[in-house]
Amino acid sequence: MQKAKLTLDKDFTISEVDPRLFGGFVEHLGRHIYTGIYEPEHPTADEQGFRQDVIDLVKDLRMPVMRYPGGNFVSGYRWEDGVGAKDQRPARLDLAWGAKEPNTFGTNEFADWCKKVNSAPMLAVNLGTRGPEQAQELVEYCNHPGGTYWSDWRKSHGYANPHNVKLWCLGNEMDGPWQMGSKTAFEYGRIANEAAKLMKWTDPSIETVLCGSSGRGMRTFGKWEWESLHESYDNVDYLSLHTYYGNASDDTPSFLAQPDNMADFIRESVALSDAVGASKKSKKKIHMSFDEWNVWYQTPDQVDQDEKWSVGRHQLEQKYTMEDALVVGGMLITLLTHADRVKVGCIAQVVNVIGPVMTDPGGSAWKQSIYHPFEAAATYGQGTVLHSLIDAPTYDSKSRDKASVVMVASVLGEDSLTVFAVNRDPSGQPVELTGNLRGFENWSGVQHSVLINDDLKARNTADAPSRVAPQSAETLPTLDGANFTAILPPYSWNVIRFTL
Ligand code: AHR
């Protein structure tokens, strides 16, 4: 058995967790909206056509913010098409995903759905085919109390009170050639700055998110952040980061090490932002919004499904495995251990499209494997993150060298300390984790839940929705004063909770 040592000290803290770290992302893509969230003919549909079975599952994920409506979709979106009387809304071509967009679900429906899942909208504006003017108008429509053209338009649609949307994304992945209206860093920095200015003049309480590189692997990563932030620094509050990992070449050790690359990406983006701040002699700090992250294999067949230009195509319907859940667990641990600078996070996405929740049209909704680590982190990862000093063996793989066989994040809540841990040891052995918890002698109990499966490729399906589901650990951790010993089973996600 491998051995790992964890040292924590109550006074050695990283940061309070911003609850928005555990947000979600809803895009008009595939079956996310149509037959996912919205299916008026479904047996569980409520009076607005929202699937209640989906609402129940999403609610338990406790996502305080929900990014919408894209993604690539937003770069061609006319938000005006999706409001007002449904029978007068135009159907349009969605050039991002080759689908027909009926616009029977739009901004107001989204705001209503957010309330039903206890979330708050985080809206993206179109800076691809449109610009500052339409972005400003959407802020006025959503947030201005009334007495002006756009706010009164909202009222005429049955929404007397403003939606008060606080977080606004300034476009999406504007460096990507696949993006409608993609731009150079300078072009984007200028347009983002002008849009943010008008949006903030309309509602000074809002916060804005600048698009960082659409991935760390982009040729322009670094230069993009430097230039676009230079143009917009004073009018933006967050820099966005996006990352997806897959295991297409079936190299599990390498795949499981990927969350360490996510950590590097965060550190590099923080350094770039701070460098711009330093060059401007600014006291302001830009924080990170990791508003797209997940496991996604990105195989072309996931996009080219069903007839082109049809509504609700089967697209990006990733069927998540046990090992995918371990990577998602590792990514959650990475977000927590960087909570000092990452304030917003959105798993991409939520329903059907690379999502923790899957549905059958007219049928059931179920939890994918990745649902479980997310739910645990969102539930127990609230409070103060402590430095987790880990002394454990490491391994080398194609994706990086010296990955610790155990990943750990520790969060001190009001009356509990939670240790999240992934055992990713490629030798497939259990790991004995001994912990020295300085300043925590007076706990009254301990629980240990694990997510494991002998088959790393095991998945949940409509017929077997609990094949990959958390269970109690076979042996509870032993406690001795400020020390504990726990066994982390091979290839496992672990949630160890000490009641204080
Ligand atoms: O989440 C799927 C897609 O990935 C989004 O539309 C885009 O922003 C990213 O490239």
Side-chain angles (χ1 to χ4, degrees), residues 11-189:
D11 295 323
F12 291 176
T13 63
I14 294 178
S15 170
E16 283 290 301
V17 178
D18 187 320
R20 297 173 304 169
L21 196 59
F22 302 111
F25 169 35
V26 171
E27 177 165 5
H28 283 256
L29 199 184
R31 296 193 307 112
H32 200 157
I33 308 279
Y34 306 109
T35 72
I37 286 173
Y38 180 74
E39 191 178 354
E41 307 77 28
H42 192 269
T44 72
D46 68 9
E47 69 295 346
Q48 287 185 282
F50 303 153
R51 284 182 65 151
Q52 189 60 49
D53 56 349
V54 171
I55 289 177
D56 293 342
L57 289 175
V58 175
K59 220 198 268 177
D60 285 348
L61 288 174
R62 298 164 194 261
M63 296 171 157
V65 283
M66 205 65 82
R67 183 167 172 255
Y68 172 86
N72 298 341
F73 172 81
V74 76
S75 296
Y77 186 48
R78 298 161 184 257
W79 66 266
E80 305 91 318
D81 291 346
V83 295
K86 286 200 182 184
D87 58 0
Q88 284 164 37
R89 297 187 194 175
R92 300 253 188 213
L93 293 183
D94 164 21
L95 301 184
W97 300 106
K100 179 153 99 180
E101 174 50 57
N103 281 308
T104 43
F105 185 102
T107 306
N108 293 320
E109 286 80 23
F110 180 67
D112 288 340
W113 184 77
C114 280
K115 282 198 188 114
K116 292 182 181 182
V117 298
N118 298 331
S119 192
M122 169 186 188
L123 295 186
V125 296
N126 175 356
L127 294 186
T129 59
R130 306 185 107 190
E133 185 179 20
Q134 294 83 11
Q136 182 281 327
E137 289 166 357
L138 180 58
V139 175
E140 185 179 325
Y141 180 90
C142 288
N143 288 10
H144 197 70
T148 64
Y149 181 81
W150 296 105
S151 57
D152 285 346
W153 207 42
R154 182 198 68 239
K155 287 185 166 189
S156 76
H157 296 152
Y159 293 83
N161 295 320
H163 296 310
N164 283 326
V165 177
K166 289 292 165 225
L167 264 177
W168 293 83
C169 303
L170 302 166
N172 177 69
E173 296 191 348
M174 298 305 304
D175 59 332
W178 58 87
Q179 203 70 217
M180 286 175 262
S182 66
K183 303 196 166 24
T184 66
F186 179 73
E187 287 167 347
Y188 172 62

